[in-house]
Coordinates of all heavy atoms in Angstrom, one line a residue:
M178 N 8.4 -7.0 -3.6 CA 8.5 -5.7 -3.0 C 7.2 -4.9 -3.3 O 6.7 -4.8 -4.4 CB 9.6 -4.9 -3.8 CG 10.5 -4.1 -2.8 SD 11.7 -3.1 -3.6 CE 12.7 -4.4 -4.5
A179 N 6.6 -4.4 -2.2 CA 5.3 -3.7 -2.3 C 5.5 -2.2 -2.3 O 6.2 -1.7 -1.4 CB 4.4 -4.1 -1.2
Y180 N 4.9 -1.5 -3.2 CA 5.0 0.0 -3.2 C 3.7 0.6 -2.9 O 2.6 0.0 -3.0 CB 5.4 0.5 -4.6 CG 6.8 0.1 -5.0 CD1 7.0 -0.8 -6.1 CD2 7.9 0.6 -4.4 CE1 8.3 -1.2 -6.5 CE2 9.2 0.2 -4.7 CZ 9.4 -0.7 -5.8 OH 10.7 -1.1 -6.1
I181 N 3.8 1.9 -2.4 CA 2.6 2.6 -2.2 C 1.8 2.8 -3.5 O 2.4 3.1 -4.5 CB 2.9 4.0 -1.6 CG1 3.4 3.9 -0.2 CG2 1.7 5.0 -1.7 CD1 3.9 5.2 0.4
T182 N 0.5 2.5 -3.4 CA -0.3 2.7 -4.6 C -1.5 3.7 -4.3 O -1.8 3.9 -3.2 CB -1.0 1.3 -5.1 OG1 -1.7 0.8 -4.0 CG2 0.1 0.3 -5.5
G183 N -2.0 4.2 -5.4 CA -3.1 5.1 -5.4 C -4.3 4.4 -6.1 O -4.2 3.4 -6.7
L184 N -5.5 5.1 -6.1 CA -6.6 4.6 -6.7 C -7.1 5.5 -7.8 O -7.2 6.8 -7.6 CB -7.8 4.3 -5.8 CG -7.6 3.2 -4.8 CD1 -8.9 3.1 -3.8 CD2 -7.4 1.9 -5.5
R185 N -7.4 5.0 -9.0 CA -8.1 5.8 -10.0 C -9.6 5.9 -9.7 O -10.1 5.3 -8.8 CB -7.9 5.2 -11.4 CG -6.5 5.1 -11.8 CD -6.4 4.6 -13.2 NE -5.0 4.3 -13.6 CZ -4.4 3.2 -13.4 NH1 -5.0 2.1 -13.0 NH2 -3.1 3.1 -13.8
R186 N -10.3 6.7 -10.4 CA -11.7 6.9 -10.2 C -12.5 5.6 -10.3 O -13.4 5.4 -9.6 CB -12.3 7.9 -11.2 CG -13.7 8.3 -10.9 CD -14.1 9.5 -11.7 NE -15.5 9.9 -11.3 CZ -16.0 11.0 -11.7 NH1 -15.4 11.9 -12.4 NH2 -17.2 11.3 -11.3
D187 N -12.0 4.7 -11.2 CA -12.7 3.4 -11.3 C -12.2 2.4 -10.3 O -12.5 1.2 -10.4 CB -12.5 2.8 -12.7 CG -11.0 2.4 -13.0 OD1 -10.2 2.6 -12.1 OD2 -10.7 2.0 -14.1
R188 N -11.4 2.9 -9.3 CA -10.9 2.1 -8.2 C -9.8 1.1 -8.6 O -9.4 0.3 -7.7 CB -12.0 1.4 -7.4 CG -13.0 2.4 -6.8 CD -14.1 1.8 -6.0 NE -15.1 2.8 -5.6 CZ -15.0 3.5 -4.5 NH1 -13.9 3.4 -3.7 NH2 -15.9 4.4 -4.2
S189 N -9.3 1.2 -9.8 CA -8.1 0.4 -10.1 C -6.9 1.1 -9.5 O -6.8 2.3 -9.4 CB -8.0 0.2 -11.6 OG -7.8 1.5 -12.3
E190 N -5.9 0.3 -9.3 CA -4.7 0.8 -8.6 C -3.6 1.3 -9.6 O -3.6 0.9 -10.7 CB -4.0 -0.3 -7.8 CG -4.7 -0.6 -6.5 CD -3.9 -1.5 -5.6 OE1 -2.9 -2.1 -6.0 OE2 -4.4 -1.7 -4.4
W191 N -2.9 2.3 -9.2 CA -1.7 2.8 -9.9 C -0.6 3.1 -8.9 O -0.8 3.2 -7.8 CB -2.0 4.0 -10.8 CG -2.3 5.2 -10.0 CD1 -3.5 5.5 -9.3 CD2 -1.5 6.4 -9.8 NE1 -3.4 6.7 -8.7 CE2 -2.2 7.3 -9.0 CE3 -0.2 6.8 -10.3 CZ2 -1.7 8.5 -8.6 CZ3 0.3 8.0 -9.9 CH2 -0.4 8.8 -9.1
T192 N 0.6 3.0 -9.4 CA 1.8 3.2 -8.6 C 2.4 4.6 -8.8 O 3.0 4.9 -9.9 CB 2.9 2.2 -8.8 OG1 2.3 0.9 -8.7 CG2 4.1 2.3 -7.9
P193 N 2.2 5.6 -7.9 CA 2.8 6.9 -8.0 C 4.4 6.8 -8.0 O 4.9 6.0 -7.3 CB 2.4 7.7 -6.8 CG 1.4 6.8 -6.1 CD 1.6 5.4 -6.6
K194 N 5.0 7.6 -8.8 CA 6.5 7.7 -8.8 C 6.8 9.1 -8.4 O 6.5 10.1 -9.1 CB 7.0 7.4 -10.2 CG 6.8 5.9 -10.5 CD 7.7 5.5 -11.6 CE 7.4 4.0 -12.0 NZ 6.2 3.9 -12.8
F195 N 7.4 9.2 -7.2 CA 7.6 10.5 -6.6 C 8.9 11.1 -7.1 O 9.9 10.4 -7.5 CB 7.7 10.4 -5.1 CG 6.4 9.8 -4.5 CD1 6.2 8.5 -4.3 CD2 5.3 10.7 -4.2 CE1 5.0 8.0 -3.8 CE2 4.1 10.2 -3.7 CZ 4.0 8.8 -3.5
V196 N 9.0 12.5 -7.1 CA 10.2 13.1 -7.6 C 11.3 12.8 -6.7 O 11.2 12.9 -5.5 CB 9.9 14.7 -7.8 CG1 9.8 15.4 -6.5 CG2 11.0 15.3 -8.6
K197 N 12.4 12.4 -7.3 CA 13.6 12.0 -6.5 C 14.7 13.1 -6.6 O 15.3 13.5 -5.6 CB 14.2 10.7 -7.1 CG 15.3 10.1 -6.4 CD 15.7 8.8 -7.0 CE 16.9 8.2 -6.4 NZ 17.4 7.1 -7.2
S198 N 14.9 13.6 -7.9 CA 16.0 14.6 -8.0 C 15.8 15.3 -9.4 O 15.1 14.8 -10.3 CB 17.4 14.0 -7.9 OG 17.5 13.0 -9.0
I199 N 16.5 16.4 -9.5 CA 16.6 17.1 -10.8 C 18.1 17.3 -11.1 O 18.8 17.8 -10.3 CB 15.9 18.5 -10.7 CG1 14.4 18.4 -10.3 CG2 16.0 19.3 -12.0 CD1 13.7 19.7 -10.0
D200 N 18.4 16.9 -12.3 CA 19.8 17.0 -12.7 C 20.2 18.5 -13.1 O 19.7 18.9 -14.1 CB 20.1 16.0 -13.9 CG 21.5 16.0 -14.3 OD1 22.3 16.9 -13.9 OD2 21.9 15.0 -14.9
S201 N 20.9 19.1 -12.3 CA 21.2 20.6 -12.5 C 22.1 20.7 -13.7 O 22.2 21.8 -14.3 CB 21.8 21.2 -11.3 OG 23.0 20.5 -10.9
E202 N 22.8 19.7 -14.2 CA 23.6 19.8 -15.4 C 22.7 19.8 -16.6 O 23.0 20.4 -17.6 CB 24.5 18.5 -15.5 CG 25.6 18.4 -14.4 CD 26.6 19.6 -14.5 OE1 27.0 19.9 -15.6 OE2 26.8 20.2 -13.4
K203 N 21.5 19.2 -16.6 CA 20.6 19.1 -17.7 C 19.6 20.3 -17.7 O 19.2 20.7 -18.7 CB 19.8 17.8 -17.7 CG 20.7 16.6 -18.0 CD 19.8 15.4 -18.0 CE 20.6 14.1 -18.3 NZ 19.8 12.9 -18.1
C204 N 19.3 20.8 -16.5 CA 18.2 21.8 -16.4 C 18.7 23.1 -17.0 O 19.8 23.6 -16.7 CB 17.9 22.0 -14.9 SG 16.7 23.3 -14.6
I205 N 17.8 23.8 -17.8 CA 18.1 25.1 -18.4 C 17.3 26.2 -17.7 O 17.4 27.3 -18.1 CB 17.9 25.1 -19.9 CG1 16.4 24.7 -20.2 CG2 18.9 24.1 -20.6 CD1 16.0 24.9 -21.6
G206 N 16.6 25.9 -16.6 CA 15.8 26.9 -15.9 C 14.7 27.5 -16.6 O 14.3 28.6 -16.4
C207 N 14.0 26.7 -17.5 CA 12.9 27.2 -18.3 C 11.7 27.5 -17.5 O 10.8 28.3 -17.8 CB 12.6 26.3 -19.5 SG 11.9 24.7 -18.9
G208 N 11.5 26.8 -16.4 CA 10.4 27.0 -15.5 C 9.1 26.2 -15.8 O 8.2 26.3 -15.0
R209 N 9.1 25.4 -16.8 CA 7.9 24.7 -17.2 C 7.4 23.8 -16.1 O 6.3 23.7 -15.8 CB 8.2 23.9 -18.5 CG 8.4 24.7 -19.7 CD 9.0 23.9 -20.9 NE 8.1 22.8 -21.3 CZ 7.4 22.8 -22.4 NH1 7.5 23.9 -23.2 NH2 6.6 21.9 -22.7
C210 N 8.4 23.1 -15.5 CA 8.0 22.1 -14.5 C 7.4 22.8 -13.2 O 6.4 22.3 -12.6 CB 9.2 21.3 -14.0 SG 10.6 22.3 -13.4
M211 N 7.9 24.0 -12.9 CA 7.4 24.7 -11.7 C 6.0 25.2 -12.0 O 5.2 25.3 -11.0 CB 8.4 25.9 -11.4 CG 9.7 25.4 -10.9 SD 10.9 26.7 -10.6 CE 11.9 26.6 -12.1
K212 N 5.7 25.6 -13.2 CA 4.4 26.0 -13.5 C 3.4 24.9 -13.5 O 2.2 25.1 -13.1 CB 4.4 26.7 -15.0 CG 4.8 28.1 -15.0 CD 4.6 28.7 -16.3 CE 5.5 29.9 -16.5 NZ 6.0 30.1 -17.9
I213 N 3.8 23.7 -13.9 CA 2.8 22.6 -14.1 C 2.5 21.9 -12.7 O 1.5 21.3 -12.6 CB 3.3 21.6 -15.1 CG1 2.1 20.9 -15.8 CG2 4.2 20.6 -14.6 CD1 2.3 20.2 -17.0
C214 N 3.4 22.0 -11.8 CA 3.2 21.3 -10.5 C 2.2 22.0 -9.7 O 2.4 23.2 -9.3 CB 4.5 21.1 -9.7 SG 4.2 20.3 -8.2
A215 N 1.1 21.3 -9.4 CA 0.0 22.0 -8.6 C 0.2 21.8 -7.1 O -0.7 22.2 -6.4 CB -1.3 21.4 -9.1
H216 N 1.3 21.2 -6.7 CA 1.5 20.9 -5.3 C 2.6 21.7 -4.6 O 3.1 21.3 -3.5 CB 1.6 19.4 -5.1 CG 0.4 18.7 -5.6 ND1 -0.8 18.5 -4.8 CD2 0.1 18.2 -6.8 CE1 -1.7 17.9 -5.6 NE2 -1.2 17.7 -6.8
G217 N 3.2 22.6 -5.3 CA 4.2 23.5 -4.7 C 5.5 22.7 -4.3 O 6.1 23.1 -3.4
V218 N 5.8 21.7 -5.1 CA 7.0 20.9 -4.7 C 8.3 21.5 -5.2 O 9.3 21.4 -4.6 CB 6.8 19.5 -5.3 CG1 8.0 18.6 -5.1 CG2 5.6 18.8 -4.8
L219 N 8.2 22.2 -6.4 CA 9.4 22.7 -7.0 C 9.6 24.2 -6.9 O 8.6 25.0 -6.8 CB 9.3 22.4 -8.5 CG 9.0 20.9 -8.8 CD1 8.7 20.7 -10.3 CD2 10.1 20.0 -8.4
A220 N 10.8 24.7 -6.8 CA 11.1 26.1 -6.7 C 12.4 26.4 -7.5 O 13.2 25.6 -7.6 CB 11.3 26.4 -5.2
P221 N 12.5 27.7 -7.9 CA 13.7 28.1 -8.6 C 14.9 28.2 -7.6 O 14.6 28.6 -6.4 CB 13.4 29.5 -9.2 CG 12.2 29.9 -8.4 CD 11.5 28.8 -7.8
K222 N 16.0 27.9 -8.1 CA 17.2 28.0 -7.2 C 18.3 28.7 -8.1 O 18.5 28.4 -9.2 CB 17.7 26.7 -6.8 CG 18.8 26.7 -5.8 CD 19.1 25.3 -5.2 CE 20.2 25.3 -4.2 NZ 20.5 24.0 -3.7
E223 N 18.9 29.7 -7.5 CA 20.0 30.4 -8.2 C 21.3 30.0 -7.7 O 21.6 29.8 -6.5 CB 19.8 31.9 -8.0 CG 20.6 32.7 -9.0 CD 20.3 34.2 -8.9 OE1 19.2 34.6 -9.3 OE2 21.1 34.9 -8.4
V224 N 22.2 29.7 -8.7 CA 23.6 29.3 -8.3 C 24.6 30.2 -9.0 O 24.5 30.4 -10.2 CB 23.8 27.8 -8.7 CG1 25.3 27.4 -8.5 CG2 22.9 26.9 -8.0
D225 N 25.5 30.7 -8.2 CA 26.5 31.6 -8.7 C 27.6 30.8 -9.4 O 28.1 29.9 -8.9 CB 27.1 32.5 -7.6 CG 26.2 33.5 -7.2 OD1 25.4 34.1 -8.0 OD2 26.2 33.9 -6.0
E226 N 27.8 31.2 -10.7 CA 28.9 30.6 -11.4 C 30.0 31.6 -11.5 O 29.8 32.8 -11.1 CB 28.4 30.0 -12.8 CG 27.4 28.9 -12.6 CD 27.0 28.2 -13.8 OE1 27.1 28.9 -14.9 OE2 26.6 27.1 -13.8
E227 N 31.1 31.3 -12.2 CA 32.2 32.2 -12.2 C 31.9 33.6 -12.7 O 32.1 34.6 -12.0 CB 33.3 31.6 -13.1 CG 34.6 31.3 -12.3 CD 35.6 30.6 -13.2 OE1 36.1 31.3 -14.1 OE2 35.9 29.4 -12.9
D228 N 31.3 33.7 -13.9 CA 31.0 35.1 -14.4 C 29.5 35.4 -14.4 O 29.1 36.6 -14.7 CB 31.4 35.2 -15.9 CG 32.9 35.0 -16.0 OD1 33.6 35.4 -15.0 OD2 33.4 34.4 -17.0
S229 N 28.6 34.5 -14.0 CA 27.2 34.8 -14.1 C 26.5 33.9 -13.0 O 27.1 33.1 -12.3 CB 26.7 34.4 -15.5 OG 26.9 33.1 -15.7
A230 N 25.2 34.1 -13.0 CA 24.4 33.3 -12.1 C 23.4 32.4 -12.9 O 22.9 32.9 -13.9 CB 23.5 34.2 -11.1
K231 N 23.2 31.2 -12.5 CA 22.4 30.3 -13.3 C 21.2 29.9 -12.4 O 21.3 29.7 -11.2 CB 23.1 29.0 -13.7 CG 22.3 28.1 -14.5 CD 23.0 26.7 -14.6 CE 22.0 25.7 -15.3 NZ 22.4 24.3 -15.2
M232 N 20.0 29.9 -13.0 CA 18.8 29.6 -12.3 C 18.4 28.2 -12.8 O 18.4 27.9 -14.0 CB 17.6 30.6 -12.7 CG 16.5 30.5 -11.7 SD 15.3 29.2 -11.9 CE 14.4 29.8 -13.4
F233 N 18.0 27.3 -11.9 CA 17.5 26.0 -12.2 C 16.4 25.6 -11.3 O 16.2 26.2 -10.2 CB 18.6 25.0 -12.4 CG 19.4 24.6 -11.2 CD1 19.0 23.6 -10.3 CD2 20.5 25.3 -10.9 CE1 19.7 23.3 -9.2 CE2 21.3 25.0 -9.8 CZ 20.9 24.0 -9.0
A234 N 15.7 24.5 -11.6 CA 14.6 24.1 -10.7 C 15.2 23.2 -9.6 O 16.1 22.4 -9.9 CB 13.6 23.3 -11.6
S235 N 14.6 23.2 -8.5 CA 15.0 22.4 -7.4 C 13.8 21.8 -6.7 O 12.7 22.4 -6.8 CB 15.9 23.2 -6.4 OG 15.1 24.1 -5.7
V236 N 14.0 20.7 -6.0 CA 12.9 20.1 -5.2 C 13.0 20.7 -3.8 O 13.9 20.5 -3.0 CB 13.1 18.6 -5.1 CG1 12.0 17.9 -4.3 CG2 13.3 17.9 -6.5
S237 N 12.0 21.6 -3.5 CA 12.0 22.3 -2.2 C 11.0 21.8 -1.2 O 11.2 22.0 0.0 CB 11.8 23.8 -2.5 OG 10.5 24.0 -3.0
N238 N 9.9 21.1 -1.7 CA 8.9 20.5 -0.8 C 8.6 19.1 -1.2 O 7.5 18.8 -1.6 CB 7.7 21.4 -0.8 CG 7.9 22.7 -0.1 OD1 8.3 22.8 1.1 ND2 7.6 23.8 -0.8
A239 N 9.6 18.2 -1.1 CA 9.4 16.8 -1.6 C 8.2 16.1 -0.9 O 7.6 15.3 -1.5 CB 10.7 16.1 -1.4
E240 N 7.9 16.5 0.3 CA 6.9 15.8 1.1 C 5.5 16.1 0.5 O 4.6 15.4 0.8 CB 6.9 16.2 2.6 CG 6.6 17.7 2.9 CD 7.7 18.7 2.7 OE1 8.8 18.2 2.2 OE2 7.6 19.8 3.0
N241 N 5.3 17.1 -0.3 CA 4.0 17.4 -1.0 C 3.8 16.7 -2.3 O 2.7 16.8 -2.8 CB 3.9 18.9 -1.2 CG 3.7 19.7 0.0 OD1 3.4 19.1 1.1 ND2 3.8 21.0 0.0
C242 N 4.8 16.0 -2.8 CA 4.7 15.4 -4.1 C 3.7 14.2 -4.1 O 3.7 13.4 -3.1 CB 6.1 14.8 -4.5 SG 6.1 14.0 -6.1
I243 N 2.8 14.2 -5.1 CA 1.8 13.1 -5.2 C 2.2 12.0 -6.2 O 1.5 11.1 -6.4 CB 0.4 13.6 -5.5 CG1 0.4 14.2 -6.9 CG2 -0.1 14.6 -4.5 CD1 -1.0 14.4 -7.5
G244 N 3.4 12.2 -6.8 CA 3.9 11.2 -7.7 C 3.2 11.1 -9.1 O 3.2 10.0 -9.7
C245 N 2.7 12.3 -9.6 CA 2.0 12.3 -10.9 C 2.9 12.3 -12.1 O 2.5 12.0 -13.2 CB 1.1 13.4 -10.9 SG 1.9 15.1 -11.0
E246 N 4.2 12.7 -11.9 CA 5.2 12.8 -13.0 C 4.9 13.8 -14.1 O 5.5 13.8 -15.1 CB 5.4 11.4 -13.7 CG 6.0 10.4 -12.7 CD 6.2 9.0 -13.4 OE1 7.2 8.9 -14.0 OE2 5.3 8.2 -13.4
A247 N 4.0 14.7 -13.8 CA 3.7 15.8 -14.8 C 4.9 16.6 -15.1 O 5.1 17.0 -16.2 CB 2.5 16.6 -14.3
C248 N 5.7 16.9 -14.0 CA 6.9 17.7 -14.2 C 7.8 17.1 -15.1 O 8.4 17.7 -16.0 CB 7.5 18.0 -12.8 SG 7.8 16.5 -11.9
G249 N 8.0 15.8 -15.0 CA 9.0 15.1 -15.9 C 8.5 15.0 -17.3 O 9.3 15.1 -18.2
R250 N 7.2 14.9 -17.5 CA 6.7 14.9 -18.9 C 6.8 16.2 -19.6 O 7.0 16.3 -20.8 CB 5.2 14.4 -18.9 CG 5.1 12.9 -18.7 CD 3.7 12.5 -19.1 NE 2.7 13.0 -18.1 CZ 2.4 12.5 -17.0 NH1 3.0 11.4 -16.6 NH2 1.5 13.0 -16.2
T251 N 6.8 17.3 -18.8 CA 6.9 18.6 -19.4 C 8.4 19.1 -19.6 O 8.6 20.0 -20.4 CB 6.1 19.7 -18.6 OG1 5.9 20.8 -19.5 CG2 6.9 20.2 -17.4
C252 N 9.3 18.4 -19.0 CA 10.7 18.8 -19.1 C 11.4 18.2 -20.4 O 11.5 17.0 -20.6 CB 11.5 18.2 -17.9 SG 13.2 18.7 -18.0
K253 N 11.7 19.1 -21.3 CA 12.3 18.7 -22.6 C 13.7 18.2 -22.4 O 14.3 17.6 -23.3 CB 12.3 19.9 -23.5 CG 10.9 20.4 -23.9 CD 10.7 20.3 -25.4 CE 9.4 21.0 -25.8 NZ 8.2 20.1 -25.5
K254 N 14.3 18.5 -21.3 CA 15.7 18.2 -21.1 C 15.9 16.8 -20.3 O 17.0 16.4 -20.0 CB 16.5 19.3 -20.3 CG 16.5 20.6 -21.0 CD 17.4 20.4 -22.3 CE 17.5 21.6 -23.1 NZ 18.2 21.4 -24.4
K255 N 14.8 16.2 -20.0 CA 14.8 15.0 -19.3 C 15.7 15.0 -18.0 O 16.5 14.2 -17.8 CB 15.2 13.8 -20.2 CG 14.3 13.7 -21.4 CD 14.6 12.3 -22.1 CE 13.7 12.2 -23.3 NZ 12.3 12.5 -23.3
A256 N 15.4 16.1 -17.2 CA 16.3 16.3 -16.0 C 15.8 15.6 -14.8 O 16.5 15.6 -13.8 CB 16.4 17.8 -15.8
F257 N 14.6 15.0 -14.8 CA 14.0 14.5 -13.6 C 14.3 13.0 -13.4 O 14.4 12.2 -14.4 CB 12.4 14.6 -13.7 CG 12.0 16.0 -13.3 CD1 11.9 17.0 -14.3 CD2 11.6 16.3 -12.0 CE1 11.5 18.3 -13.9 CE2 11.2 17.6 -11.6 CZ 11.1 18.6 -12.6
A258 N 14.4 12.6 -12.2 CA 14.4 11.2 -11.8 C 13.3 11.0 -10.8 O 13.0 11.9 -9.9 CB 15.7 10.9 -11.1
F259 N 12.6 9.8 -10.9 CA 11.5 9.5 -10.0 C 11.7 8.1 -9.4 O 12.4 7.3 -9.9 CB 10.1 9.5 -10.9 CG 9.8 10.8 -11.5 CD1 10.2 11.0 -12.8 CD2 9.0 11.7 -10.8 CE1 9.8 12.3 -13.4 CE2 8.7 12.9 -11.4 CZ 9.1 13.2 -12.7
E260 N 10.9 7.9 -8.3 CA 11.0 6.6 -7.7 C 9.7 6.3 -7.0 O 9.1 7.2 -6.4 CB 12.2 6.5 -6.7 CG 12.0 7.5 -5.5 CD 13.2 7.4 -4.6 OE1 14.1 6.6 -4.7 OE2 13.3 8.3 -3.7
P261 N 9.3 5.1 -7.0 CA 8.1 4.7 -6.2 C 8.5 4.6 -4.7 O 9.7 4.5 -4.5 CB 7.7 3.3 -6.7 CG 9.0 2.8 -7.3 CD 9.8 3.9 -7.8
L262 N 7.6 4.6 -3.8 CA 8.0 4.5 -2.4 C 7.5 3.1 -1.8 O 6.4 2.6 -2.2 CB 7.3 5.6 -1.6 CG 7.9 7.0 -1.7 CD1 7.2 7.9 -0.7 CD2 9.4 7.0 -1.4
M263 N 8.4 2.5 -1.0 CA 8.0 1.3 -0.4 C 6.8 1.5 0.5 O 6.7 2.5 1.2 CB 9.2 0.8 0.5 CG 10.4 0.4 -0.3 SD 10.3 -1.0 -1.3 CE 10.2 -2.3 0.0
A264 N 5.9 0.5 0.5 CA 4.7 0.6 1.4 C 5.1 0.4 2.8 O 6.1 -0.3 3.1 CB 3.7 -0.4 0.9
Ligands
LIG228 S1 11.3 21.8 -17.1 FE1 13.3 20.8 -17.0 S2 14.7 22.3 -17.9 FE2 12.9 23.4 -17.4 S3 13.2 24.2 -15.3 FE3 12.2 22.2 -15.1 S4 13.9 20.8 -14.8 FE4 14.8 22.6 -15.7
LIG229 S1 5.5 14.4 -9.6 FE1 3.6 15.8 -9.8 S2 3.3 16.5 -7.6 FE2 5.4 15.6 -7.8 S3 6.8 17.4 -8.2 FE3 6.2 16.5 -10.2 S4 4.3 17.6 -10.9 FE4 4.6 18.0 -8.7

């Protein structure tokens, strides 16, 4: 199975893992992932619950993701799932 790969500066290959989903059960809406993503992929989303509204992160521009996984590394709740893409 061949996946899309990128090149490092020394021209060696690496395999990007693109953001697949964010688990809204785990997300606490801290916003760390949205601040760290330099590609505008993530956005806050508000969901109305019975007595209050909850804010959490959502994938709003998946097509802009470069697969760096920085968002997942900054998430203390381990709410992210990633996947490589087939070439
Ligand atoms: S860093 Fe994790 S917990 Fe914080 S908003 Fe992003 S997904 Fe939610
Ligand atoms: S993997 Fe990188 S580019 Fe993609 S959403 Fe996370 S921080 Fe942004």
